Amino acid sequence: MDRQQVTQKILSAKVAKQMRWADIATEFGQSKEWTTAALLGQMTFTRAQADKAQQLFSLTDEEAAWLQIVPYKGSLPTAVPTDPLIYRWYEIVSVYGTTIKELIHEEFGDGIMSAIDFSMDIQREADPKGDRVQVVLSGKFLPYKTY
Amino acid sequence: MDRQQVTQKILSAKVAKQMRWADIATEFGQSKEWTTAALLGQMTFTRAQADKAQQLFSLTDEEAAWLQIVPYKGSLPTAVPTDPLIYRWYEIVSVYGTTIKELIHEEFGDGIMSAIDFSMDIQREADPKGDRVQVVLSGKFLPYKTY
Amino acid sequence: MDRQQVTQKILSAKVAKQMRWADIATEFGQSKEWTTAALLGQMTFTRAQADKAQQLFSLTDEEAAWLQIVPYKGSLPTAVPTDPLIYRWYEIVSVYGTTIKELIHEEFGDGIMSAIDFSMDIQREADPKGDRVQVVLSGKFLPYKTY
Amino acid sequence: MDRQQVTQKILSAKVAKQMRWADIATEFGQSKEWTTAALLGQMTFTRAQADKAQQLFSLTDEEAAWLQIVPYKGSLPTAVPTDPLIYRWYEIVSVYGTTIKELIHEEFGDGIMSAIDFSMDIQREADPKGDRVQVVLSGKFLPYKTY
Amino acid sequence: MDRQQVTQKILSAKVAKQMRWADIATEFGQSKEWTTAALLGQMTFTRAQADKAQQLFSLTDEEAAWLQIVPYKGSLPTAVPTDPLIYRWYEIVSVYGTTIKELIHEEFGDGIMSAIDFSMDIQREADPKGDRVQVVLSGKFLPYKTY
Amino acid sequence: MDRQQVTQKILSAKVAKQMRWADIATEFGQSKEWTTAALLGQMTFTRAQADKAQQLFSLTDEEAAWLQIVPYKGSLPTAVPTDPLIYRWYEIVSVYGTTIKELIHEEFGDGIMSAIDFSMDIQREADPKGDRVQVVLSGKFLPYKTY
Amino acid sequence: MDRQQVTQKILSAKVAKQMRWADIATEFGQSKEWTTAALLGQMTFTRAQADKAQQLFSLTDEEAAWLQIVPYKGSLPTAVPTDPLIYRWYEIVSVYGTTIKELIHEEFGDGIMSAIDFSMDIQREADPKGDRVQVVLSGKFLPYKTY
Amino acid sequence: MDRQQVTQKILSAKVAKQMRWADIATEFGQSKEWTTAALLGQMTFTRAQADKAQQLFSLTDEEAAWLQIVPYKGSLPTAVPTDPLIYRWYEIVSVYGTTIKELIHEEFGDGIMSAIDFSMDIQREADPKGDRVQVVLSGKFLPYKTY
Amino acid sequence: MDRQQVTQKILSAKVAKQMRWADIATEFGQSKEWTTAALLGQMTFTRAQADKAQQLFSLTDEEAAWLQIVPYKGSLPTAVPTDPLIYRWYEIVSVYGTTIKELIHEEFGDGIMSAIDFSMDIQREADPKGDRVQVVLSGKFLPYKTY
Amino acid sequence: MDRQQVTQKILSAKVAKQMRWADIATEFGQSKEWTTAALLGQMTFTRAQADKAQQLFSLTDEEAAWLQIVPYKGSLPTAVPTDPLIYRWYEIVSVYGTTIKELIHEEFGDGIMSAIDFSMDIQREADPKGDRVQVVLSGKFLPYKTY
């Protein structure tokens, strides 16, 4: 058994029970973004969170134990994603990557925006010309240091 | 001559004149995000914008003409970026890609968040534990249709 | 269980029952292009469409539920397709890609032809020198905007 | 000297002289699609066509001679294109590739749609919800034969 | 079930029954080249040919039905083949590819040698210095056309 | 200076002087296939052949010396060729590769068809339904030996 | 069933029975190099050798039949090997490849060292500063010929 | 200036002066294998060796200085080499890689054959059936240790 | 059965029994670094170590036998790792690779730092600004030699 | 002009002037590790550091200005490095990557070891069996957080 099999079982249970991520997140008392990433096999559960998942998705004890092990992260099957929705994000990195780099460096100096001390919020933005997806990303700035 | 050579000349001028992207954007009357992407060779200039660029960066007439031609987009030299700041964005797509996909589909149904009818805003977010980079992405939702 | 297994089961049933895509599409009341793409695992079914598929291909309830989940899209096993028919399309993109780009930009300015707000129609075109395949692609033009 | 350098020179002249592909095609008496592909280095010119190109773009005799040599075809710098407009076409091949394959085989049997005995027509399709790009592709069907 | 599984079953039966491709081809009344390619999953069978295969290799009705479906072609597991015999052919394309291109264009003008309207004949060529493999490839020339 | 530069100069001279490979081969007294491959940088010239090339293409002494050095072979810029004519040959290897392997092994046992002790002959094959390209490949069979 | 499964079974039997390659080779009356390569799925067995293998590793009749079929060769899962011992050989090709090429050409002229008419001998070379691995490779020189 | 340019200049001088590697090695008092690798940019020269090279190939002082800097090693332009002679070595690694691994481990236990504490000797091996290339590789065995 | 399956079983047992690597290492009397690498399938066990593993993880005799076979090493599923923790190490190689090379060569001359005669120690380094991971790598310097 | 050209000029000056990294670092008053990485184009200089570099390596004003711009990082030409010294580090990541991951997670929980808030120290470790390279890496632990 490995984590991927547990993820697959969770997804099957979610489909069979017609659950929504937003409702599931409420059960965990966390954001829908973190909860979804965690259940998709990208984050590590505490004991209490694993117990909750075990109950919601009818997992065995061993499956619940796997949720508490840090997973091998990375959710995509290819280096350049083929799914159109995910590709658009890859395209943003490709087209705007150097722009993001220039503007963060101009404001903060040399360093990076953390993808670990990081949170994300995805919302619907009503718009008469067609609703929009608004995503707010927040990552701590980590400066390179001389030594 | 091609667009890449014009971009290279603009960057050299910017370094030599010690200009800042934010100030340059004010000259163009556009956001710093669009302006930087455009000057890095990813967007197309109107005649007026090209005139402004010609003056700011001492471009020739032919160089200014190239700015009005739609460029071959994509700003990175490798499919998986090596630069740590840009890589973190690739990592966000890799780790959170399926999460973003699930949550947008749950809210909007099948479709994508546009990377064309799209804007981006990068700001400093003051934080006592260390300032953060906040990035707001806004893209129109485009639904798949049956036909 | 995942969507790919449902697709595989649909294909097996179609082979065993000797069905035609055109006839199947009539059952769904949709174009043969959309219907085929959907049954090949690239599109999302409504509840009613999933019920129809369940009946036509003898699917279980869970299999029908999977059809209503947005799939991870991309139907080819390699980045450069090996199948000769599909490769010819890749070749068209390779040989005519920059031509298509130039002509759309000349007519519409900077932007893209949508692959989401998109439809396709494939027909036989009778020709005394040998019949031809005629494919009409129609995609909404989406302009890049300054901001 | 090679063909790529001639293409580069043609593009520079076109930018400098602010010419349009549609007008250039009229000069050649060919479709704008063939003419653009040819000038972008993908097709071979007859002696008369090369003379016309020499005059329009101020080419030397050797440059005009190169236009009459069959070029090494393929217009894109990477196997998966990074430019958003061209990528959408790659995405169509990726998402609809197996659909196109199934429907052509259902109608014609085993074989391919030729990318050589092939023509393309790109038009604006007026639409109150936003104009569309309409592309008609026509390729001779070539059957596999047993022997 | 898919075509690959049928191919695998045919190969197992051939090994178990110690059959030769040349004899099998005689049963089908086709060349050994077409017959082998077809049984290796690259060609489509008629109803009669599938019946013959069903009998020779003890296939089920569903397996015989799969043989009449156009397969996803491409018989090699990697883009650059590792098997020494097949690699030599890849090497011929790599070393002589531009030579073949030049000579076909010199004789026929711009176009291709078809790999669809194509046949192949493999024979032993007796030679006192060591027998040789002689392969005759014949493909229809397809010219590019202006339009 | 390297061999590629010599090849480039030879090609430029050939275009400028409007020479044909078949005529050039006659000058060398070799087949058009070997001569073309050699001039495209894939084969090694004897002193006499290099002298002939020097005279035909107005090479310098150092350029003629390079022709007598064994070149780094491989004439294509990518692992999967993008040029349609050359790709068809790659496709033949992809689709028929396992067939060729099976039939050579059936006739000769384990071993390879040499791509070194090898010759090639390309001819026009008149055909009322459209002329064909006929290519005869002849390579010595080299058996694997036990030891 | 395929050859890889037979190889896997042979390896399992060898581990379970704690056999050594050198002893196994003695049973076959061949070198340890050929025997190991053959049992690892890279060479073809005669009927007698397959019978011997069947007895040593308790193979079924069908498994023994597979050993007499020429395998699809290539023993590594990635183009650049990850295993440190095998990587060192890849590194030798990478670092000394052009050296080997230059020296063989200087001695023999244009051609190759055969990897088919080839043998290998691996021995321990005692050395007070630490024993060494000595590998002797012997391959027939095959000259390129003009034609 | 970098090492690659110095290598290129050495090669040009060698071609122009028609020198042989074996004779050059005698000048250096080293094996032809080490000398060739060093002059091809894979090894580091001592001051005295660099002086000798400066004299033999008419190098400038700065070029001679570069020879004393440890180079970035790796002599091939692609991960899988296209040159037939070098490819055969890659094929040996591919086909015999696991064999070499098994036999070295059987004799020495877990560890590697060093590619650093390594030497190579290439000789002609006279053979009535055609001369052979004999290559002796000798590398120190380095054991993995537990700690 | 192969080594990967044994590794998978060990990992499952470790999760089920909630064991820690540090404690397991104490059982083996080795460092936690070596022990973890070995149990993750990268090192070879002695008979005694395999017996200990058999007892700790309830392995069968055949599974314990596999632990004593030298494994095919390499623990990552892709050439560029997707997991953020492991990627940071890849990034260190990418960003500091040439620095490490320059400094080792400056101190030791041409050669490498061994990854075989190698040990690693990972410790927590308390720090008021946030604890740090301290990793000490020690590898024997192996000089290139002339011969 | 870009940063890579400045790096190239610095390297040329260092070779011509026979300088050592350790001495150069003393001039900058920084560690040899940071200084080397910075001069190899991976780090950003302050105004004062750029002035020092300008003087040491005879840079122009524009070259010194480039040193103060954050560079596009990544110092290696290929994803898998070919240079043996650097490859050994890649191998450590490949072989020990999962080990490092397990041990850091066991000690710290889910998170990463920073490659930004990071320092490195490379020293000679005297050893009677042959001196060793000792490298100490220190990176801040950054925990993943729930939100």
Side-chain angles (χ1 to χ4, degrees), chain A residues 21 75 79 90 94 106 132 138, chain B residues 21 75 79 90 94 106 132 138:
Chain A
W21 295 113
S75 68
Y90 179 79
S94 170
E106 182 166 294
R132 301 175 75 81
S138 167
Chain B
W21 295 112
S75 68
Y90 180 81
S94 170
E106 182 166 293
R132 301 175 74 82
S138 167

Side-chain angles (χ1 to χ4, degrees), chain B residues 13-42:
Chain B
K14 178 177 173 294
V15 167
K17 300 188 178 180
Q18 316 252 19
M19 294 187 273
R20 289 172 53 85
W21 295 112
D23 298 336
I24 295 168
T26 307
E27 293 278 346
F28 281 95
Q30 302 290 345
S31 69
K32 66 183 184 306
E33 287 77 14
W34 182 89
T35 308
T36 306
L39 290 167
L40 288 172
Q42 303 299 314

